[in-house]
């Protein structure tokens, strides 16, 4: 499986909402409701923000929301804050117990 | 919360092998899937494979089959990743990661990473 396709960068002003897309195929995103989103600040380990398409782990702000339509998943960050500036990666189950990450998106808070 | 402590940085020549370890602070391998993920310099995250809690069998990304081996020792609560026939493109930070009880790659605990440098 090739990496899922994400925009290289997305930016927004504080308080605004942004959406990061994650494009896959009918054999990964389109086939399973097992899409996760990870946030990674520079030099840090990834942090789970959304799992199973739209579920938030305990402690994750409701400003982060996930969705899926067909072969594309999305992560929306509302009320953008300075600390949201980071890299974001989607991932999806691809069948047979395997997974694939997206290409990653750098979020900039203007 | 369980902690995953990884082994220190390694430097290897091309063609050599490397074995990275990941020790858990409490019993977790029998109840959680354990993944290995790597991040090459300036690149994104790459899923390498997973160790099943039932029996410790491993599944690998197609790219790594035949060159990567993931094992565990439940008596010492240690997970291992061995990569053979190393090439420069294998230079990366290697992370072990625990799937949450929700499963399906909803990772809730990460090791701090092990840097592997492949250079002659």
């Amino acid at each position: 499986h090739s990496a899922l396709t994400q925009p290289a960068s997305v930016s927004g002003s504080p308080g605004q909402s942004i959406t990061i897309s994650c494009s896959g195929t009918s054999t990964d995103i389109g086939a399973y409701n097992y899409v996760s989103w990870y946030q990674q600040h520079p030099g840090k380990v990834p942090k789970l923000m959304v799992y199973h398409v739209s579920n938030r782990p305990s402690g994750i702000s409701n400003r982060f929301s996930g969705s899926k339509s067909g072969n594309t998943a999305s992560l929306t960050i509302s009320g953008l804050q300075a600390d949201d500036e980071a890299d974001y990666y989607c991932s999806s189950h691809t069948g047979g117990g395997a997974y694939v990450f997206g290409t990653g998106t750098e979020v900039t808070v203007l | 919360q369980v902690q995953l402590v990884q082994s220190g940085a390694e430097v290897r020549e091309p063609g050599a092998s490397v074995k990275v370890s990941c020790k858990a602070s409490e019993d977790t391998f029998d109840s959680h899937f354990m993944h290995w993920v790597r991040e090459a310099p300036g690149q994104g995250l790459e899923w390498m494979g997973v160790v099943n809690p039932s029996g410790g069998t491993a599944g690998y990304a197609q790219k790594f089959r035949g060159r990567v081996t993931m094992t565990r020792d439940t008596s010492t609560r240690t997970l291992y990743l061995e990569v053979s026939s190393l090439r420069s493109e294998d230079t990366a930070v290697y992370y072990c990661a625990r799937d949450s009880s929700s499963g399906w790659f909803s990772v809730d605990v990460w090791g701090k990473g092990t840097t592997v440098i492949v250079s002659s």
Side-chain angles (χ1 to χ4, degrees):
Chain A
H1 274 254
S2 300
L4 307 172
T5 301
Q6 298 180 232
S9 63
V10 173
S11 62
S13 299
Q16 286 187 329
S17 293
I18 61 170
T19 297
I20 304 168
S21 62
C22 173
S23 179
T25 70
S26 60
T27 60
D28 40 60
I29 292 177
Y32 306 98
N33 288 321
Y34 296 128
V35 176
S36 298
W37 288 90
Y38 293 90
Q39 175 194 67
Q40 188 181 30
H41 286 106
K44 302 294 186 181
V45 301
K47 178 181 180 180
L48 181 68
M49 307 304 285
V50 168
Y51 67 97
H52 300 186
V53 176
S54 59
N55 292 276
R56 277 187 307 276
S58 174
I60 299 301
S61 170
N62 58 10
R63 298 188 299 105
F64 293 86
S65 62
S67 62
K68 188 187 89 166
S69 177
N71 299 336
T72 300
S74 299
L75 176 71
T76 297
I77 308 174
S78 58
L80 201 61
Q81 298 178 1
D83 189 52
D84 298 334
E85 190 162 287
D87 292 329
Y88 291 81
Y89 294 90
C90 60
S91 69
S92 174
H93 184 56
T94 63
Y99 298 87
V100 65
F101 276 106
T103 50
T105 298
E106 181 180 21
V107 168
T108 301
V109 180
L110 302 171
Chain B
Q1 172 114 350
V2 68
Q3 294 184 359
L4 302 175
V5 180
Q6 296 189 226
S7 50
E10 304 272 12
V11 179
R12 294 286 187 275
E13 293 189 346
S17 297
V18 69
K19 194 169 187 177
V20 175
S21 67
C22 167
K23 186 175 176 63
S25 59
E26 60 188 60
D27 288 335
T28 194
F29 296 158
D30 287 343
S31 54
H32 293 265
F33 285 84
M34 298 297 299
H35 301 267
W36 286 95
V37 172
R38 77 178 187 180
E39 182 176 21
Q43 305 295 310
L45 301 175
E46 184 172 30
W47 183 82
M48 299 181 69
V50 60
V51 179
N52 193 312
S54 176
T57 55
Y60 306 105
Q62 188 168 6
K63 171 180 180 177
F64 297 107
R65 287 175 197 162
R67 204 164 67 88
V68 163
T69 305
M70 297 175 187
T71 56
R72 71 178 190 182
D73 183 341
T74 53
S75 67
T76 61
R77 301 194 301 271
T78 306
L79 197 69
Y80 297 97
L81 168 72
E82 185 167 22
V83 184
S84 62
S85 302
L86 286 165
R87 35 212 190 221
S88 59
E89 310 90 88
D90 294 316
T91 293
V93 177
Y94 290 78
Y95 296 102
C96 60
R98 188 189 81 161
D99 221 329
S100 75
S101 55
S102 297
W104 301 101
F105 203 46
S106 56
V107 172
D108 61 350
V109 182
W110 294 78
K112 291 189 183 300
T114 296
T115 298
V116 175
I117 296 172
V118 183
S119 174
S120 55

